[in-house]
Amino acid sequence: AAAEASLRVLSEEDARDLRDVLLGQRAAPGFDISDAPPSALYEIEPRDLVLAGAFQNRSLYMVAAVLGLMQGPDTVRFLRQASGPATSVARDLGIGFMILAGLALLLIGWVVAIIGTVTKYHGFHLERHDKGLKVGYGLLTQVEHVIPLRRAQFLRVIQPVLYRLLNLCEMDVATAGSFREKEGSGAGNTKLSPVTRLENAGRLASHVFPSLHLEGVAWNPVSRLTIRRAFLAEMWVNAAVTGLIVWRFGPLGAFALLPFTGLAWLYARKRFEALAYSLDGGFL
C-alpha cells in the first residue's frame, strides 16, 4: 500500500541512472545504450489548463475558509473594536461591504486556482515507453512516472458539472499492485490527463486499452431494486437526525421526517437514473 523506500535527496543524474536500471532500460550502472527518441502521444493545450483551474471550484474553498475564520469570536470582536477610515467605511456600507468582500475573495480564489493548476500541470504530456506510457508535467516541481500498461485495471473518465458545460473531462488509470502514494481519487491512480476535450477521451483510452471503444457505448439500466436500497439507506440517517430534533424540540420535531423522506426518495430515484452499465469486448 506504500513505497518500501523513498530517496528524497538525489542528484538528477543519479536519479535518472537509477530509474533506467529499475525500468530495465540499462542492464547495470554504466552500461550505455542508445535511447530511441520519445514518441509524443498527447499534450495538453494551455487554454485547457486555464479552463480546468477556472472550473474546478477550488476558489470556493478559500471563500469558505475566510468566512469560517470571520465567525470566530476573536475575529468578530476585533472587527467591532477596529478603528480607522477603512473600518468606518465598512460599517457604513454594512451588508453591501460584506457582499463586495465576498466577491473579491471569490475572484482572488479563482485566480489562485487557475495559477495553481497551470503551474502544477504545465507541459503535461504522454510518451510511449518500453514499459507503458510515460507521463511528465510540472513547472516548478517536475514530475515523471511510467504507467505500466500490463497492470492497468480500469480507466476512469470524470466530468464535474462545470466540465460538462464545456465538453471537458479528466481521466485516471488504476494499476494493479501499485505502490504509488495516494494521488487523485484513489491509491494507485495516475492521471492520464487532468483535463481534455471529451472528443479526445476515446483516443486517450485506446493508448491504455487498444480494444476499448468509448464512443457509442450501449448503456443498460440497473435493477429498480436500486431505488429501494438507496432509499432505505438514506432513511436510517434521516431517522437518526429526526430523533435528535424530537429530543431537542419536542414531538413536533417528528414532522421533520416528512421533507427528509421526500429528499431521500428523490435522491434514490435520481441515483437509479444515473447508474448504468455495459458489457463490450471483455470490458465492463
Side-chain angles (χ1 to χ4, degrees):
E4 295 181 1
S6 178
L7 303 179
R8 299 190 178 276
V9 183
L10 210 62
S11 71
E12 186 172 356
E13 181 180 1
D14 289 342
R16 293 186 181 277
D17 287 341
L18 181 58
R19 179 196 62 183
D20 291 343
V21 171
L22 294 175
L23 292 176
Q25 292 181 329
R26 188 175 299 175
F31 181 73
D32 191 15
I33 61 174
S34 58
D35 294 331
S39 175
L41 298 175
Y42 172 73
E43 294 180 353
I44 294 183
E45 297 183 10
R47 65 172 183 172
D48 289 341
L49 281 179
V50 173
L51 289 175
F55 291 97
Q56 286 180 343
N57 289 335
R58 291 176 180 172
S59 57
L60 297 180
Y61 299 153
M62 179 176 292
V63 175
V66 174
L67 292 179
L69 179 63
M70 293 178 65
Q71 301 304 314
D74 294 335
T75 305
V76 174
R77 191 181 306 111
F78 170 78
L79 293 176
R80 289 177 177 175
Q81 296 177 356
S83 60
T87 52
S88 299
V89 172
R91 291 193 187 97
D92 295 338
L93 290 177
I95 188 64
F97 172 78
M98 297 299 295
I99 293 176
L100 291 176
L103 292 175
L105 288 172
L106 184 62
L107 179 61
I108 293 173
W110 196 39
V111 173
V112 170
I114 294 174
I115 294 175
T117 300
V118 173
T119 301
K120 179 178 181 180
Y121 292 111
H122 173 77
F124 188 99
H125 62 278
L126 295 176
E127 298 176 358
R128 295 194 184 278
H129 189 275
D130 292 341
K131 302 295 183 180
L133 291 177
K134 180 181 177 182
V135 182
Y137 58 88
L139 180 62
L140 301 179
T141 301
Q142 295 184 346
V143 178
E144 284 187 356
H145 52 260
V146 174
I147 303 175
L149 295 183
R150 288 184 300 176
R151 293 195 284 112
Q153 285 193 305
F154 68 84
L155 183 73
R156 178 184 285 114
V157 181
I158 308 167
Q159 273 195 292
V161 175
L162 296 178
Y163 272 32
R164 291 202 295 269
L165 298 177
L166 297 171
N167 208 31
L168 299 174
C169 67
E170 58 180 288
M171 301 179 69
D172 295 344
V173 177
T175 55
S178 175
F179 56 80
R180 284 177 43 76
E181 295 180 0
K182 190 170 184 178
E183 175 186 331
S185 53
N189 283 6
T190 301
K191 289 290 182 188
L192 186 64
S193 178
V195 61
T196 187
R197 301 284 172 175
L198 191 59
E199 57 265 25
N200 294 331
R203 180 167 61 91
L204 285 174
S206 65
H207 295 317
V208 181
F209 301 114
S211 58
L212 174 64
H213 305 286
L214 292 182
E215 300 84 359
V217 176
W219 295 106
N220 302 308
V222 296
S223 169
R224 294 187 64 87
L225 293 176
T226 306
I227 301 177
R228 185 180 68 181
R229 171 174 289 189
F231 175 73
L232 293 177
E234 291 298 315
M235 286 306 297
W236 281 107
V237 179
N238 296 339
V241 173
T242 303
L244 292 176
I245 295 176
V246 171
W247 174 75
R248 179 67 179 81
F249 298 102
L252 292 179
F255 287 102
L257 189 60
L258 295 178
F260 286 159
T261 302
L263 290 175
W265 177 258
L266 180 62
Y267 165 78
R269 180 73 188 185
K270 291 299 181 180
R271 182 174 181 270
F272 163 75
E273 294 174 357
L275 288 173
Y277 73 96
S278 177
L279 288 171
D280 183 20
F283 292 98
L284 170 63

